Amino acid sequence: MNASVIGAGVAAVLALTWIAFGFWAFVLVAVAMLIGAAVGRIIDGRLDVRALADVFRGRRSSS
């Protein structure tokens, strides 16, 4: 799947959630999707947690 298909799927899920259950359910689903994406990237090895933590602590720049 390419990024356009994934983006359209995510948008559809969020839109249907907002329509069916309201704004706060939409926010909850969006946060859950972000957490799931981050966990997936960590498992795949595409997200270095130590480097990310160092950036948030101000020890390194992101560039």
Side-chain angles (χ1 to χ4, degrees):
M1 276 199 256
N2 61 19
S4 296
V5 173
I6 293 171
V10 168
V13 168
L14 290 174
L16 290 173
T17 301
W18 192 332
I19 291 168
F21 302 111
F23 176 74
W24 291 110
F26 161 81
V27 171
L28 180 66
V29 170
V31 169
M33 288 176 141
L34 288 172
I35 292 170
V39 169
R41 284 181 161 257
I42 291 168
I43 291 171
D44 284 344
R46 293 189 290 165
L47 182 63
D48 185 8
V49 180
R50 289 186 189 133
L52 187 62
D54 287 343
V55 167
F56 284 120
R57 287 188 205 132
R59 293 186 180 179
R60 286 192 208 167
S61 68
S62 60
S63 58

